[in-house]
Amino acid sequence: TPNAKTAETRGFYMGGAVPGNTYAWGNCTYWAFAMRLWAGSPIPTSWGNANTWDDRAKTSGYLVNRTPTAGAIFQTDEGKWGHVAYVIAVNPASGDWTISEMNAPTLNVVSQRTFSKEAAEQYTFIHNKIGAQPWTPNPITSMPPYGTGLQL
Protein backbone atom coordinates (compact mmCIF):
# COMPACT_ATOMS: atom_id res chain seq x y z
CA THR A 1 0.00 0.00 0.00
CA PRO A 2 1.49 3.39 -0.92
CA ASN A 3 2.08 5.58 2.08
CA ALA A 4 4.38 8.16 3.60
CA LYS A 5 6.32 5.47 5.49
CA THR A 6 7.47 3.92 2.21
CA ALA A 7 9.04 7.19 1.14
CA GLU A 8 10.43 7.91 4.60
CA THR A 9 12.55 4.78 4.60
CA ARG A 10 14.03 5.31 1.15
CA GLY A 11 13.99 8.97 0.11
CA PHE A 12 13.20 7.82 -3.42
CA TYR A 13 9.47 7.12 -3.47
CA MET A 14 9.02 3.39 -4.04
CA GLY A 15 5.32 3.14 -3.21
CA GLY A 16 2.72 2.15 -5.74
CA ALA A 17 0.39 4.49 -7.54
CA VAL A 18 -1.64 6.75 -5.28
CA PRO A 19 -5.35 6.09 -5.91
CA GLY A 20 -7.03 8.98 -7.72
CA ASN A 21 -3.79 10.93 -8.16
CA THR A 22 -3.73 12.30 -11.71
CA TYR A 23 -0.81 14.67 -11.14
CA ALA A 24 2.49 13.79 -12.87
CA TRP A 25 4.32 11.03 -10.99
CA GLY A 26 7.50 12.17 -9.27
CA ASN A 27 6.61 15.86 -9.23
CA CYS A 28 5.78 18.12 -6.31
CA THR A 29 2.09 18.20 -7.21
CA TYR A 30 1.93 14.40 -7.05
CA TRP A 31 3.39 14.41 -3.51
CA ALA A 32 1.30 17.30 -2.18
CA PHE A 33 -1.87 15.60 -3.42
CA ALA A 34 -0.78 12.26 -1.88
CA MET A 35 0.11 13.80 1.47
CA ARG A 36 -3.24 15.55 1.77
CA LEU A 37 -5.00 12.31 0.81
CA TRP A 38 -3.07 10.33 3.44
CA ALA A 39 -3.65 13.09 6.00
CA GLY A 40 -7.41 12.71 5.53
CA SER A 41 -8.30 15.85 3.58
CA PRO A 42 -7.95 15.25 -0.16
CA ILE A 43 -7.77 18.12 -2.63
CA PRO A 44 -8.98 18.30 -6.25
CA THR A 45 -6.94 16.86 -9.10
CA SER A 46 -7.76 19.84 -11.31
CA TRP A 47 -5.39 22.50 -10.00
CA GLY A 48 -2.74 22.05 -12.72
CA ASN A 49 0.89 23.08 -12.27
CA ALA A 50 2.08 24.22 -8.85
CA ASN A 51 2.13 27.89 -9.90
CA THR A 52 -1.66 27.82 -10.37
CA TRP A 53 -2.61 26.01 -7.17
CA ASP A 54 -3.18 29.11 -5.04
CA ASP A 55 -5.46 30.75 -7.62
CA ARG A 56 -7.41 27.56 -8.32
CA ALA A 57 -7.71 26.81 -4.61
CA LYS A 58 -9.22 30.27 -4.03
CA THR A 59 -11.63 29.74 -6.94
CA SER A 60 -12.57 26.35 -5.42
CA GLY A 61 -13.37 28.00 -2.06
CA TYR A 62 -10.24 27.08 -0.10
CA LEU A 63 -8.68 29.35 2.50
CA VAL A 64 -5.40 30.68 1.09
CA ASN A 65 -3.12 32.87 3.21
CA ARG A 66 0.44 33.36 4.45
CA THR A 67 0.06 31.31 7.65
CA PRO A 68 1.62 27.82 7.77
CA THR A 69 -0.26 25.14 9.72
CA ALA A 70 0.27 21.39 9.89
CA GLY A 71 -1.71 19.87 7.01
CA ALA A 72 -1.64 22.98 4.82
CA ILE A 73 -0.11 23.00 1.38
CA PHE A 74 2.92 25.25 0.91
CA GLN A 75 2.81 27.01 -2.49
CA THR A 76 5.07 29.34 -4.45
CA ASP A 77 5.03 30.65 -8.02
CA GLU A 78 8.84 30.69 -8.14
CA GLY A 79 10.49 28.89 -11.04
CA LYS A 80 8.98 27.86 -14.36
CA TRP A 81 6.18 25.74 -12.88
CA GLY A 82 6.10 26.87 -9.23
CA HIS A 83 6.37 24.46 -6.30
CA VAL A 84 4.05 22.89 -3.73
CA ALA A 85 4.70 20.80 -0.62
CA TYR A 86 2.93 19.57 2.50
CA VAL A 87 3.42 21.29 5.85
CA ILE A 88 4.20 18.49 8.31
CA ALA A 89 4.80 20.59 11.41
CA VAL A 90 4.88 24.07 12.91
CA ASN A 91 6.96 24.57 16.04
CA PRO A 92 4.68 26.32 18.58
CA ALA A 93 7.61 27.93 20.42
CA SER A 94 9.63 29.35 17.53
CA GLY A 95 7.07 29.39 14.71
CA ASP A 96 9.51 27.52 12.45
CA TRP A 97 7.72 25.24 10.00
CA THR A 98 8.72 22.08 8.15
CA ILE A 99 7.57 20.81 4.77
CA SER A 100 7.65 17.42 3.08
CA GLU A 101 8.26 17.77 -0.63
CA MET A 102 9.00 15.84 -3.80
CA ASN A 103 11.08 16.86 -6.81
CA ALA A 104 13.22 19.38 -4.99
CA PRO A 105 15.84 19.11 -6.29
CA THR A 106 15.40 15.71 -8.02
CA LEU A 107 12.43 13.99 -9.67
CA ASN A 108 10.66 11.55 -7.32
CA VAL A 109 12.95 12.20 -4.36
CA VAL A 110 11.11 13.03 -1.13
CA SER A 111 12.84 15.51 1.16
CA GLN A 112 12.05 17.98 3.89
CA ARG A 113 13.06 21.54 4.74
CA THR A 114 12.48 23.77 7.75
CA PHE A 115 11.85 27.50 7.40
CA SER A 116 11.78 30.34 9.90
CA LYS A 117 8.54 31.90 11.07
CA GLU A 118 9.45 35.06 9.14
CA ALA A 119 9.91 33.16 5.85
CA ALA A 120 6.19 32.38 5.73
CA GLU A 121 5.49 35.91 4.44
CA GLN A 122 7.17 34.94 1.15
CA TYR A 123 4.90 31.95 0.50
CA THR A 124 1.26 30.97 0.20
CA PHE A 125 -0.50 28.26 2.20
CA ILE A 126 -3.61 26.41 1.09
CA HIS A 127 -5.81 25.17 3.94
CA ASN A 128 -9.26 23.56 3.86
CA LYS A 129 -12.38 24.87 2.20
CA ILE A 130 -13.81 27.95 3.85
CA GLY A 131 -16.66 26.87 6.12
CA ALA A 132 -15.64 23.20 6.09
CA GLN A 133 -15.50 21.22 9.29
CA PRO A 134 -12.14 21.68 11.00
CA TRP A 135 -9.92 18.64 10.64
CA THR A 136 -6.87 17.33 12.35
CA PRO A 137 -4.42 15.82 9.87
CA ASN A 138 -3.72 12.13 10.28
CA PRO A 139 -0.24 11.90 11.80
CA ILE A 140 2.65 11.89 9.36
CA THR A 141 5.81 10.77 11.11
CA SER A 142 8.94 12.89 10.96
CA MET A 143 11.24 12.21 8.08
CA PRO A 144 14.99 11.64 7.91
CA PRO A 145 17.31 13.79 5.80
CA TYR A 146 16.79 12.24 2.38
CA GLY A 147 19.65 11.83 -0.01
CA THR A 148 22.13 11.32 2.85
CA GLY A 149 21.79 7.56 2.91
CA LEU A 150 20.38 7.58 6.45
CA GLN A 151 17.67 5.07 7.19
CA LEU A 152 15.07 4.99 9.97
Side-chain angles (χ1 to χ4, degrees):
T1 304
N3 58 43
K5 188 69 176 170
T6 302
E8 287 177 28
T9 59
R10 296 186 175 96
F12 188 80
Y13 180 63
M14 301 294 290
V18 175
N21 195 342
T22 60
Y23 292 104
W25 174 89
N27 286 303
C28 62
T29 50
Y30 187 87
W31 189 247
F33 175 90
M35 291 294 281
R36 277 292 289 252
L37 178 69
W38 294 327
S41 186
I43 56 169
T45 57
S46 57
W47 288 353
N49 294 320
N51 59 356
T52 63
W53 276 35
D54 56 337
D55 299 323
R56 292 191 176 167
K58 285 179 196 173
T59 301
S60 299
Y62 284 74
L63 174 64
V64 178
N65 61 26
R66 301 226 180 250
T67 306
T69 59
I73 297 169
F74 156 95
Q75 189 274 340
T76 179
D77 290 343
E78 292 178 20
K80 185 175 181 180
W81 306 109
H83 189 61
V84 290
Y86 178 83
V87 179
I88 57 174
V90 177
N91 182 310
S94 67
D96 293 353
W97 46 281
T98 303
I99 60 171
S100 174
E101 61 189 344
M102 182 180 268
N103 195 25
T106 307
L107 182 69
N108 197 47
V109 171
V110 176
S111 58
Q112 69 176 19
R113 289 188 280 167
T114 299
F115 296 83
S116 70
K117 176 182 179 179
E118 296 76 22
E121 285 301 315
Q122 301 171 38
Y123 302 105
T124 303
F125 298 90
I126 303 167
H127 303 273
N128 243 9
K129 279 196 168 191
I130 295 170
Q133 286 278 48
W135 69 287
T136 301
N138 294 333
I140 304 291
T141 60
S142 62
M143 300 189 184
Y146 294 107
T148 64
L150 295 177
Q151 300 288 315
L152 285 177

